[in-house]
């Protein structure tokens, strides 16, 4: 079972930060996170400190262009043993659906790529084509047809 104690969060129009202490069966982790946002760009800086003093860091920036209906991002994660990865992501809406791609480079030099295209083929029907190239260079293709209305999570209350 997980338990967490969230300490007070500071907030401004452009920055939010806070600390959480998380208890797991493996021990306690302290998470410090700062999120800043301005003019279509959001940056997250997070450090998790484990019981033994080792840290996991996550830094990322995502920029969105509402007019072009697209977003790009770069995210870096460094694990407690020094290994890590950097990912570049791109998402865009199209006239008939959307596209998504993520290219990840790992600290050992290997890469992984994901490309996905979603196409609306009817009012409540979408076809999703996904191609994954794993770290060994093997490529898998997946296609799914999804029917039924698209469900969205409930809207979050707007901040004032």
């Amino acid at each position: 079972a997980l338990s967490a104690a969230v300490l007070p969060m500071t907030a401004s129009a452009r920055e939010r930060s806070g600390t959480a202490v998380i208890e797991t069966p493996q021990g306690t982790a302290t998470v410090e996170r700062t999120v800043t946002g301005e003019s279509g760009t959001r940056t997250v800086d997070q450090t998790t400190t484990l019981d033994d003093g080792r840290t996991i860091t996550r830094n990322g920036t995502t920029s969105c262009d509402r007019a072009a209906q697209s977003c790009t991002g770069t995210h870096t994660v460094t694990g407690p043993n020094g290994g890590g990865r950097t990912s570049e992501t791109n998402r865009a809406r199209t006239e008939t659906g959307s596209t998504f791609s993520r290219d990840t480079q790992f600290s050992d030099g290997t890469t992984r790529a994901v490309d996905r295209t979603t196409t609306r083929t009817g009012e409540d029907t979408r076809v999703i084509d996904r191609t994954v190239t794993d770290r060994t260079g093997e490529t898998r293709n997946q296609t799914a047809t999804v029917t039924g209305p698209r469900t969205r999570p409930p809207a979050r209350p707007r901040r004032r």
Side-chain angles (χ1 to χ4, degrees):
L2 289 175
S3 67
V6 178
L7 304 177
M9 179 175 272
T10 62
S12 71
R14 298 178 192 270
E15 180 177 302
R16 292 183 301 160
S17 62
T19 302
V21 178
I22 301 169
E23 298 286 340
T24 72
Q26 292 79 28
T28 302
T30 303
V31 180
E32 296 178 26
R33 181 177 172 120
T34 300
V35 179
T36 56
E38 109 181 53
S39 300
T41 299
R42 178 180 169 196
T43 300
V44 175
D45 292 303
Q46 177 176 307
T47 300
T48 302
T49 303
L50 306 175
D51 273 344
D52 61 8
R54 294 180 305 151
T55 60
I56 301 166
T57 60
R58 176 178 174 252
N59 308 96
T61 300
T62 301
S63 298
C64 294
D65 181 338
R66 286 185 184 250
Q69 296 187 340
S70 65
C71 296
T72 60
T74 301
H75 302 85
T76 300
V77 177
T78 303
N81 297 321
R85 66 183 181 270
T86 298
S87 296
E88 301 282 336
T89 59
N90 293 287
R91 313 189 294 266
R93 289 187 186 251
T94 64
E95 285 186 31
T96 60
S98 64
T99 61
F100 170 83
S101 68
R102 178 178 54 236
D103 295 318
T104 302
Q105 177 149 7
F106 295 86
S107 57
D108 64 2
T110 60
T111 60
R112 180 177 190 268
V114 177
D115 293 294
R116 183 186 69 225
T117 301
T118 303
T119 307
R120 285 187 307 273
T121 58
E123 186 169 326
D124 287 338
T125 305
R126 294 166 304 289
V127 174
I128 302 169
D129 290 306
R130 184 172 184 252
T131 301
V132 177
T133 303
D134 67 21
R135 294 171 73 170
T136 65
E138 185 176 329
T139 299
R140 298 184 311 278
N141 295 303
Q142 300 168 314
T143 299
T145 300
V146 180
T147 58
R150 181 171 175 220
T151 58
R152 295 179 187 250
R156 293 188 292 175
R158 295 184 71 76
R159 287 179 271 162
R160 295 179 189 239

